[in-house]
Every structure is written in C-alpha cells, then in structure tokens.
C-alpha cells in the first residue's frame, strides 16, 4: 500500500484535472488517478472545441459561475502561455418562444449581460452562412465563442504537476471505501491501494459504476460530432466571419456548431444537442454510420446550406445526463466528511471546468463554497423524476 495523501482525485478529464490543480495549488498532497492517458479521447473532454457563452438558456442561476469561469480561463491562459478561448461571438437561433432564445434572453436581462436581438433578415446580413426562416430570431452575444477542451485539460495537468500533484495515468480505479468512522478513504486501482483524508470523484461517464451509492440515475448518451468541409471552402466559416451557434427547431431539436478553426482542410464542426442513444462507456459504438451522417447533413441543408459539402470526419463522445439536466456538485450526502462528487454535467459542463475545479477544492478542503451551487444538490427532488427518452440515430425512441 502506498503512503497516504491529503486528497485523491478519481478522473483527470475536464473537471478532475481542474480539481487536482486547485487542490495542489493550495498546498495539499494530491494523488490523481485516470484510467486513460492525459487529455484522452475516450470520454467527454475531446473534439477540439466547446461552446462558451454567458446568456445561459439552461437557467439564469448558472451565470455567476460562468462569469467566474471566464476569469479563470483567462488566468489559465496567462499562467500557461496557451491559447484556450476564442470569443468570436455566438447566436442562439429559433422562434422567439424557443427555449434557446427565450431562456438566453431571460438570463441576459436578469444579469445585465450585453446582447442584441436580431430579426431573420439581420441574421442573414451579418452572417451569410446562416439561413433562418422569416419567423426566426437570434440572440447575439459578443462574448460567446469556444474553448479548446484538450488544451484546457493539458493546461490543468501541467499546473497541477508543477504544484506537486502526483498524477497517474493508465491506472483505472476498481473501487473505493470510506474508512471506519467516516474520516478518510481507501481507493483500489488495478495496480495498488491508496489512502487519503478526502476523496474527490470526477468520473464522467463512469459515474454509474463509481457512484452507485449516490442515488442518482445517470443516463450515458452516445453523441456524435461531425466536421464538414463547406461547399466553396472554409473562408466564410472562419472565426472572423462565423459565430458559434445553437439552433432550436419548432419540435425542440437543437443543433450547434463552430467556425472552421483547424485550417482550410479542417472543416467546420457541428452536432445535434441531446439526440443520441443510451450507451455504456465500456462498449460504446465509436463507429459513425452513413445514416447518422446523412441525417446531420440533411438537417443542415436548410439552415447552413453551404456547410454539408463533404464529411471530413465524425467522432463519438458521451454525455452523462441527470433527469433534470443540471449538474451534481456537492459533498457526498452519505459520506460528507470524506467524499466530494462532481458529475452529471449533462452535455453542457465544459465551459464551467475552471470554476468547478475551484468549487471542488472549496468543498473538499472547507466543506462549503461561496459559489452558488444549490441547483446541483444530489438530494434535489427533480432527480427522482424519470429520464426523458433519447432518440437513436434512426429516430426510434430508446427508453
């Protein structure tokens, strides 16, 4: 058995790498354990880009956390010399009563965030790649844009190690227990057994396995990201011309996308939001079918007509979703003195990575945080509600 640490962090993806950094930076002995390599592509923190925005349609309660996250992304860039964020602007498109538009407007007004409301003709004039219907509008946010997930994870890993954290990759955790009296933990891996005064669990899609006693019914969704080379090339899709976008249809289906950020041959990334089949992280199908690609291309043609020129690549990833699509971020209700959990980020969590790391460090070391996280209580009543159905790529519901 290896000697004890102050804190063990399980999972070194987006949230876990940030937690390891913030814990180590406060002078604590940190052991981080990750089943894959650093900044890997087997979970939920890959794909080259993630949208970042402040006028948050999911709930206005997220906005203070986003403002802090923006500050921490900027600090992370300064501390590592890496370019992590590009605030190229963003549009939330749909009919005025759509959740994407009305929810974004509610958050913008609630927190006094700079924004513009654009009619369809103005959307087309400013952003010629977009072809909204005459009855669609957009909320434009100048400070929206994208961040780089792999680079962000790498930056947090770098700083955590510089602060003295012992980060061990390719070492899957097989189980953990709270020590007698509830003070301290024991963690088993394929290679060793470790003890610590406190445990932080950031398991991503492995939450159902590693947090079975939490009482939260997580749904693991297979999602697909597509990169298309636009008809006519990528010039009109560069960040100087193309904003990030989230677009909601009349039936509530949302899709989202990015500028072309990987050079002339890299294509522009797009994907459906919450339109995937349930899966298991150990057996997920990482092959993307022709039918899936055709469905994405067909959806784009009436909205970004030049985008689905030809497919460059398609990659799967996973969402770990709660029944109300809000996070789980708290001390473990059954082991409050020994375990902190950060999971269930429901497909919209990466923009919060730096502030979640800060919150996790607060919870693990102090038992509380000044950040507003009441929405993320694992004992909240909505988590007892049944999950919605998820659509398979062919459109058949999956319970």
């Amino acid at each position: 058995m290896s000697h004890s640490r102050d804190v063990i962090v399980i999972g070194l993806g987006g949230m876990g790498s940030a937690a390891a950094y913030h814990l180590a930076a406060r002078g604590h002995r940190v052991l981080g354990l990750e089943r894959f390599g650093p900044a890997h592509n087997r979970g939920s923190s890959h794909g080259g880009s993630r949208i970042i925005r402040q006028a948050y349609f999911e709930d206005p309660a997220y906005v203070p956390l986003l403002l802090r996250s923006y500050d921490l992304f900027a600090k992370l860039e300064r501390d590592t010399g890496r370019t992590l964020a590009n605030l190229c602007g963003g549009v939330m498109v749909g009919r005025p009563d759509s959740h994407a538009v009305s929810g974004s407007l509610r958050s913008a007004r609630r927190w006094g965030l700079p924004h513009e409301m654009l009619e369809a003709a103005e959307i087309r004039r400013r952003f010629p790649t977009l072809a909204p219907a005459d009855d669609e509008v957009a909320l434009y946010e100048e400070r929206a844009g994208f961040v780089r997930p792999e680079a962000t994870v790498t930056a947090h890993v770098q700083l955590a190690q510089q602060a003295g954290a012992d980060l061990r990759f390719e070492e899957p955790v097989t189980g953990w227990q709270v020590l007698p009296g509830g003070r301290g933990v024991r963690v088993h891996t394929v290679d060793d057994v470790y003890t610590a005064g406190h445990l932080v669990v950031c398991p991503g899609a492995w939450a159902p396995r590693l947090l079975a006693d939490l009482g939260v019914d997580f749904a693991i969704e297979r999602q697909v990201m597509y990169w298309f080379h636009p008809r006519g090339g990528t010039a009109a899709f560069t960040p100087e011309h193309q904003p990030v976008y989230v677009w909601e249809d009349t039936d509530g289906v949302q899709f989202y996308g990015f500028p072309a950020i990987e050079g002339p041959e890299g294509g522009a990334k797009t994907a459906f939001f919450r339109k995937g089949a349930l899966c298991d992280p150990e057996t997920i199908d990482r092959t993307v079918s022709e039918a899936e690609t055709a469905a994405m291309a067909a959806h784009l043609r009436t909205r970004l007509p030049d985008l689905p020129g030809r497919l460059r690549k398609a990659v799967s990833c996973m969402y770990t979703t709660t029944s109300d699509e809000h996070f789980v971020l708290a001390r473990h209700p059954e082991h409050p003195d020994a375990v902190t959990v950060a999971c269930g980020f429901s497909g919209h969590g990466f923009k919060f990575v730096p502030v979640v790391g800060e919150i996790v460090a607060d919870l693990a070391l102090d038992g509380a945080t000044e950040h507003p996280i009441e929405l993320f209580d694992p004992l909240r009543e909505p988590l007892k509600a049944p999950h919605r159905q998820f659509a398979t790529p062919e459109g058949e519901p999956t319970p």
Side-chain angles (χ1 to χ4, degrees):
M1 181 184 294
S2 300
H3 64 275
S4 182
R5 271 63 166 202
D6 297 327
V7 185
I8 294 174
V9 179
I10 297 177
L12 294 172
M15 307 307 176
S17 63
Y21 159 59
H22 281 278
L23 288 161
R26 298 185 194 186
H28 291 267
R29 297 172 301 156
V30 176
L31 172 66
L33 299 168
E34 166 60 49
R35 67 187 299 112
F36 300 114
H40 62 82
N41 64 355
R42 313 301 288 176
S44 304
S45 298
H46 61 282
S49 57
R50 291 291 186 276
I51 288 177
I52 189 166
R53 50 193 167 90
Q54 295 180 353
Y56 216 59
F57 61 76
E58 286 82 351
D59 196 298
Y62 285 90
V63 174
L65 300 178
L66 285 163
L67 298 178
R68 178 59 175 162
S69 193
Y70 270 59
D71 290 343
L72 289 173
F73 267 117
K75 183 178 185 300
L76 191 59
E77 289 184 319
R78 293 193 301 270
D79 290 347
T80 62
R82 299 175 184 271
T83 299
L84 304 175
N86 185 319
L87 301 185
C88 60
V91 286
M92 306 299 112
V93 185
R95 287 176 170 78
D97 61 349
S98 66
H99 185 44
V101 174
S102 65
S104 298
L105 183 59
R106 182 170 63 253
S107 283
R109 288 174 172 171
R110 166 68 178 82
W111 293 101
L113 301 174
H115 67 283
E116 296 179 68
M117 293 304 302
L118 308 180
E119 299 293 330
E122 181 64 8
I123 299 170
R124 298 185 203 111
R125 186 189 72 80
R126 286 205 204 182
F127 310 115
T129 60
L130 308 182
D134 290 341
D135 60 349
E136 290 183 309
V137 299
L139 182 143
Y140 173 70
E141 184 179 2
E142 185 177 12
R143 285 186 59 74
F146 61 90
V147 293
R148 298 282 199 167
E150 292 94 339
T152 300
V153 172
T154 300
H156 277 132
V157 166
Q158 171 191 332
L159 292 182
Q161 291 175 325
Q162 288 175 359
D166 178 8
L167 305 184
R168 303 194 177 190
F169 297 94
E170 307 290 348
E171 188 169 347
V173 170
T174 57
W176 59 269
Q177 301 90 32
V178 175
L179 297 174
R183 298 194 178 278
V185 294
R186 180 181 295 111
V187 176
H188 299 258
T189 75
V190 295
D191 294 331
D192 211 335
V193 180
Y194 306 94
T195 60
H198 199 87
L199 175 65
V200 170
V201 188
C202 302
W206 282 261
R209 287 173 167 80
L210 291 173
L211 290 172
D213 66 339
L214 189 59
V216 176
D217 181 21
F218 298 105
I220 311 304
E221 303 176 50
R222 174 184 175 273
Q223 303 292 333
V224 178
M225 302 172 283
Y226 304 85
W227 285 258
F228 289 97
H229 191 276
R231 185 179 61 189
T234 58
F237 286 83
T238 61
E240 294 76 19
H241 305 289
Q242 172 73 32
V244 298
Y245 55 88
V246 177
W247 203 317
E248 184 174 329
D249 294 340
T250 55
D251 58 2
V253 172
Q254 294 178 348
F255 73 104
Y256 63 94
F258 300 82
I261 62 177
E262 305 295 349
E265 297 304 316
K269 176 182 162 185
T270 188
F272 286 114
F273 189 44
R274 307 196 188 287
K275 191 178 180 183
L278 298 182
C279 70
D280 183 287
E282 299 289 353
T283 60
I284 178 176
D285 184 0
R286 297 190 181 274
T287 301
V288 179
S289 71
E290 292 183 3
E292 290 176 293
T293 300
M296 185 78 253
H299 198 83
L300 291 170
R301 285 193 185 99
T302 59
R303 299 159 179 92
L304 288 88
D306 291 334
L307 181 53
R310 71 179 187 276
L311 182 70
R312 299 294 300 176
K313 65 177 179 179
V315 175
S316 65
C317 70
M318 291 177 284
Y319 291 176
T320 305
T321 302
T322 64
S323 58
D324 64 2
E325 298 173 357
H326 295 308
F327 309 158
V328 174
L329 183 56
R331 280 204 168 189
H332 196 301
E334 298 297 320
H335 315 292
D337 294 328
V339 183
T340 295
V341 296
C343 52
F345 289 95
S346 299
H348 62 110
F350 197 89
K351 61 187 72 64
F352 298 90
V353 156
V355 71
V356 167
E358 186 172 67
I359 291 167
V360 166
D362 291 344
L363 294 174
L365 301 177
D366 305 325
T369 182
E370 294 183 355
H371 291 293
I373 61 169
E374 295 80 7
L375 186 61
F376 312 137
D377 187 343
L379 298 180
R380 63 189 185 267
E381 186 66 26
L383 289 189
K384 299 178 182 178
H387 278 282
R388 63 181 176 81
Q389 290 187 325
F390 300 97
T392 67
E394 292 73 30
E396 293 298 323
T398 300

Short mmCIF file of all heavy atoms in Angstrom, two decimals, residues 379-399:
data_model
loop_
_atom_site.label_atom_id
_atom_site.label_comp_id
_atom_site.label_asym_id
_atom_site.label_seq_id
_atom_site.Cartn_x
_atom_site.Cartn_y
_atom_site.Cartn_z
N LEU A 379 -29.52 15.62 -3.65
CA LEU A 379 -30.76 15.23 -2.99
C LEU A 379 -31.97 16.01 -3.50
O LEU A 379 -33.07 15.86 -2.97
CB LEU A 379 -30.64 15.44 -1.47
CG LEU A 379 -29.56 14.62 -0.77
CD1 LEU A 379 -29.56 14.92 0.72
CD2 LEU A 379 -29.77 13.12 -1.01
N ARG A 380 -31.78 16.81 -4.55
CA ARG A 380 -32.90 17.61 -5.04
C ARG A 380 -34.01 16.72 -5.60
O ARG A 380 -33.75 15.67 -6.19
CB ARG A 380 -32.43 18.62 -6.09
CG ARG A 380 -31.84 17.99 -7.36
CD ARG A 380 -31.20 19.07 -8.23
NE ARG A 380 -30.71 18.58 -9.50
CZ ARG A 380 -29.47 18.17 -9.75
NH1 ARG A 380 -28.57 18.16 -8.77
NH2 ARG A 380 -29.11 17.76 -10.96
N GLU A 381 -35.23 17.17 -5.48
CA GLU A 381 -36.40 16.37 -5.84
C GLU A 381 -36.44 16.00 -7.32
O GLU A 381 -36.79 14.86 -7.65
CB GLU A 381 -37.68 17.12 -5.46
CG GLU A 381 -38.95 16.31 -5.65
CD GLU A 381 -39.03 15.13 -4.70
OE1 GLU A 381 -38.42 15.19 -3.61
OE2 GLU A 381 -39.71 14.15 -5.04
N PRO A 382 -36.08 16.89 -8.26
CA PRO A 382 -36.20 16.51 -9.69
C PRO A 382 -35.39 15.29 -10.10
O PRO A 382 -35.70 14.64 -11.10
CB PRO A 382 -35.70 17.76 -10.43
CG PRO A 382 -35.98 18.88 -9.49
CD PRO A 382 -35.72 18.31 -8.11
N LEU A 383 -34.34 14.96 -9.34
CA LEU A 383 -33.54 13.78 -9.71
C LEU A 383 -34.31 12.49 -9.52
O LEU A 383 -33.90 11.44 -10.01
CB LEU A 383 -32.26 13.73 -8.89
CG LEU A 383 -31.20 14.78 -9.22
CD1 LEU A 383 -29.90 14.49 -8.50
CD2 LEU A 383 -30.95 14.86 -10.72
N LYS A 384 -35.45 12.54 -8.84
CA LYS A 384 -36.27 11.35 -8.68
C LYS A 384 -37.22 11.15 -9.85
O LYS A 384 -37.90 10.14 -9.95
CB LYS A 384 -37.07 11.45 -7.38
CG LYS A 384 -36.19 11.54 -6.14
CD LYS A 384 -37.02 11.69 -4.88
CE LYS A 384 -36.12 11.83 -3.66
NZ LYS A 384 -36.91 12.02 -2.40
N ALA A 385 -37.26 12.15 -10.75
CA ALA A 385 -38.14 12.04 -11.91
C ALA A 385 -37.51 11.10 -12.93
O ALA A 385 -36.30 10.95 -13.01
CB ALA A 385 -38.35 13.41 -12.54
N PRO A 386 -38.35 10.43 -13.76
CA PRO A 386 -37.79 9.54 -14.78
C PRO A 386 -37.09 10.31 -15.88
O PRO A 386 -37.41 11.48 -16.15
CB PRO A 386 -39.04 8.82 -15.34
CG PRO A 386 -40.16 9.78 -15.07
CD PRO A 386 -39.82 10.46 -13.78
N HIS A 387 -36.10 9.67 -16.48
CA HIS A 387 -35.42 10.29 -17.62
C HIS A 387 -36.37 10.39 -18.81
O HIS A 387 -37.26 9.57 -19.00
CB HIS A 387 -34.21 9.45 -18.03
CG HIS A 387 -33.00 9.72 -17.20
ND1 HIS A 387 -32.22 10.82 -17.37
CD2 HIS A 387 -32.46 9.03 -16.17
CE1 HIS A 387 -31.22 10.80 -16.50
NE2 HIS A 387 -31.34 9.72 -15.76
N ARG A 388 -36.13 11.45 -19.59
CA ARG A 388 -36.81 11.53 -20.88
C ARG A 388 -36.31 10.41 -21.78
O ARG A 388 -35.32 9.75 -21.49
CB ARG A 388 -36.52 12.87 -21.54
CG ARG A 388 -35.05 13.05 -21.85
CD ARG A 388 -34.75 14.38 -22.48
NE ARG A 388 -33.33 14.54 -22.66
CZ ARG A 388 -32.64 14.02 -23.64
NH1 ARG A 388 -33.26 13.29 -24.55
NH2 ARG A 388 -31.34 14.20 -23.74
N GLN A 389 -36.99 10.20 -22.91
CA GLN A 389 -36.49 9.21 -23.87
C GLN A 389 -35.45 9.85 -24.77
O GLN A 389 -35.49 11.05 -25.06
CB GLN A 389 -37.65 8.68 -24.73
CG GLN A 389 -38.62 7.80 -23.94
CD GLN A 389 -39.63 7.16 -24.86
OE1 GLN A 389 -40.06 7.76 -25.84
NE2 GLN A 389 -40.02 5.94 -24.54
N PHE A 390 -34.49 9.06 -25.20
CA PHE A 390 -33.44 9.51 -26.09
C PHE A 390 -33.68 8.91 -27.47
O PHE A 390 -34.07 7.74 -27.58
CB PHE A 390 -32.07 9.09 -25.58
CG PHE A 390 -31.76 9.64 -24.22
CD1 PHE A 390 -31.96 8.88 -23.08
CD2 PHE A 390 -31.31 10.94 -24.09
CE1 PHE A 390 -31.68 9.41 -21.83
CE2 PHE A 390 -31.03 11.46 -22.84
CZ PHE A 390 -31.22 10.70 -21.72
N ALA A 391 -33.42 9.70 -28.50
CA ALA A 391 -33.63 9.21 -29.86
C ALA A 391 -32.40 8.51 -30.37
O ALA A 391 -31.28 8.96 -30.16
CB ALA A 391 -33.99 10.36 -30.79
N THR A 392 -32.58 7.38 -31.01
CA THR A 392 -31.48 6.73 -31.71
C THR A 392 -31.22 7.48 -33.00
O THR A 392 -32.01 8.30 -33.43
CB THR A 392 -31.85 5.26 -32.03
OG1 THR A 392 -32.90 5.27 -33.00
CG2 THR A 392 -32.28 4.51 -30.79
N PRO A 393 -30.08 7.23 -33.66
CA PRO A 393 -29.80 7.91 -34.93
C PRO A 393 -30.89 7.71 -35.96
O PRO A 393 -31.08 8.52 -36.86
CB PRO A 393 -28.47 7.30 -35.37
CG PRO A 393 -27.82 6.89 -34.10
CD PRO A 393 -28.94 6.43 -33.21
N GLU A 394 -31.60 6.59 -35.88
CA GLU A 394 -32.67 6.34 -36.85
C GLU A 394 -33.99 6.95 -36.43
O GLU A 394 -34.98 6.84 -37.12
CB GLU A 394 -32.86 4.83 -37.03
CG GLU A 394 -31.69 4.13 -37.72
CD GLU A 394 -30.48 4.00 -36.84
OE1 GLU A 394 -30.64 3.91 -35.60
OE2 GLU A 394 -29.35 4.01 -37.38
N GLY A 395 -34.01 7.58 -35.23
CA GLY A 395 -35.19 8.29 -34.79
C GLY A 395 -36.12 7.49 -33.90
O GLY A 395 -37.15 8.00 -33.46
N GLU A 396 -35.81 6.22 -33.62
CA GLU A 396 -36.66 5.42 -32.76
C GLU A 396 -36.35 5.73 -31.30
O GLU A 396 -35.19 5.86 -30.92
CB GLU A 396 -36.43 3.93 -33.01
CG GLU A 396 -36.88 3.48 -34.40
CD GLU A 396 -38.36 3.67 -34.61
OE1 GLU A 396 -39.13 3.46 -33.65
OE2 GLU A 396 -38.75 4.05 -35.72
N PRO A 397 -37.37 5.90 -30.45
CA PRO A 397 -37.10 6.22 -29.06
C PRO A 397 -36.43 5.06 -28.32
O PRO A 397 -36.71 3.91 -28.58
CB PRO A 397 -38.48 6.52 -28.48
CG PRO A 397 -39.43 5.74 -29.36
CD PRO A 397 -38.81 5.77 -30.72
N THR A 398 -35.52 5.44 -27.42
CA THR A 398 -34.86 4.46 -26.59
C THR A 398 -35.20 4.77 -25.15
O THR A 398 -34.92 5.87 -24.68
CB THR A 398 -33.33 4.54 -26.78
OG1 THR A 398 -33.03 4.28 -28.14
CG2 THR A 398 -32.62 3.53 -25.91
N PRO A 399 -35.82 3.87 -24.41
CA PRO A 399 -36.22 4.17 -23.04
C PRO A 399 -35.01 4.35 -22.13
O PRO A 399 -33.94 3.85 -22.42
CB PRO A 399 -37.05 2.96 -22.63
CG PRO A 399 -36.58 1.85 -23.51
CD PRO A 399 -36.17 2.49 -24.80
#
